[in-house]
Amino acid sequence: MPEPTARQSHIDRALTNVSIAYKNAAFVWPEVFPRVQVQKQSDLYFNFTKGYWFRLDTGPRAPGARAPRGGYALTTSQYLCLERAIAHQVHDEVIENSDDPLTPLVRSTEYVSTQIQSAIENDVLDLVFGNSVWSSSATPSVLWSNDASDPWGDIETGMNTVATAIGREPNTAVIGRGLWRYLKNHPDVIDRIKGGATAGAPAKATAELIAGVAGLERLLVASSVEDTSTEPAAATMAYLGGLHMALLYVPTGAALDTPSSGYTFMWKNVEISRFREEQERSDVIEARCSWDAKVTASDAGYLIKSAA
């Protein structure tokens, strides 16, 4: 006796509780180059010339004589917040015919927002891990992919270099995900943190533990990835952070009379708008933002570059 097959008894429909999408899980730029909200698209900020503040001009004063005179100098630097934008067009037919859970207008908003955040992340990490950006940098003589290397010694060299240059210990490290996999599994790193492991449990090198051992407030892992191909070529994925680690002095936010390795000057925050293109019978979701990521104290950073 004939019976309907399973495929004949069911018409496939899209699930409403599952979909597959890709985007970076987190961005580190706000903790690396803190946001500075500005009132004008371009302006100046003051730089106090470093040498005057570290040079000792104090001296003896004879009775009735004037105290030795000292002083300091000022310069200025400029920021310019350029607007960047991205828009996505959604046709009426797509909106009216989409099945759950696509909600195309919501997805378009998420897409353009992520594009802006990715652009800022790219700008900041290009500077943090760039060539000839910081006053000092070095490639380890033995790369961290080799168990015979000395990552603690390389980190301490960078820490000491920054502390000598600005009179403050670097408090933040940023490491590319490509290098992080070697650092967290390095035998010297595992050995140093074994004392904090629970008895009988394997030692686990977390960013928090490594930061504490190194004397840093935080260690940030730059895990963002980017497709470097052009459509319609197959995706070519790469970490933005590469195989580098930067040691920086970073204040918690905009600060007076304080060195900062960098700031992200922000004139217009991320703005999302929706407008109609009647001729195309479409809605457009647009995101725009105006920023300038700048290195503001090149001596407040040290780059351990191409370390694996």
Side-chain angles (χ1 to χ4, degrees), residues 72 110 172 186 191 218:
Y72 56 86
E110 293 176 348
T172 300
H186 195 283
D191 185 65
R218 55 190 175 269

Side-chain angles (χ1 to χ4, degrees), residues 130-273:
N131 292 321
S132 304
V133 172
W134 306 110
S135 299
S136 300
S137 64
T139 297
S141 56
V142 182
L143 300 183
W144 294 0
S145 49
N146 186 334
D147 287 353
S149 60
D150 181 20
W152 291 123
D154 296 327
I155 291 171
E156 181 54 37
T157 296
M159 298 276 288
N160 184 66
T161 300
V162 173
T164 302
I166 68 171
R168 297 170 186 252
E169 295 285 338
N171 59 2
T172 300
V174 190
I175 187 170
R177 177 63 179 80
L179 182 59
W180 168 242
R181 67 189 181 116
Y182 294 109
L183 180 62
K184 69 178 180 177
N185 292 308
H186 195 283
D188 287 358
V189 172
I190 298 298
D191 185 65
R192 188 75 68 89
I193 66 173
K194 276 182 179 176
T198 304
K204 183 179 179 182
T206 65
E208 293 76 16
L209 279 175
I210 293 176
V213 172
L216 296 159
E217 292 179 11
R218 55 190 175 269
L219 169 59
L220 306 172
V221 180
S223 297
S224 295
V225 294
E226 178 185 21
D227 179 7
T228 59
S229 68
T230 55
E231 201 174 5
T236 303
M237 306 302 290
Y239 291 117
L240 292 180
L243 298 169
H244 317 295
M245 181 179 189
L247 298 161
L248 312 169
Y249 181 78
V250 181
T252 55
L256 291 171
D257 303 338
T258 303
S260 176
S261 54
Y263 283 120
T264 303
F265 296 94
M266 192 78 68
W267 179 44
K268 297 289 187 181
N269 291 320
V270 180
E271 297 177 351
I272 308 292
S273 60

Side-chain angles (χ1 to χ4, degrees), residues 101-157:
L102 292 182
T103 52
L105 291 174
V106 173
R107 297 299 174 261
S108 295
T109 302
E110 293 176 348
Y111 166 74
V112 296
S113 299
T114 300
Q115 282 281 315
I116 292 291
Q117 293 296 325
S118 296
I120 302 175
E121 184 90 343
N122 205 328
D123 275 6
V124 170
L125 292 182
D126 275 353
L127 290 172
V128 169
F129 296 129
N131 292 321
S132 304
V133 172
W134 306 110
S135 299
S136 300
S137 64
T139 297
S141 56
V142 182
L143 300 183
W144 294 0
S145 49
N146 186 334
D147 287 353
S149 60
D150 181 20
W152 291 123
D154 296 327
I155 291 171
E156 181 54 37
T157 296

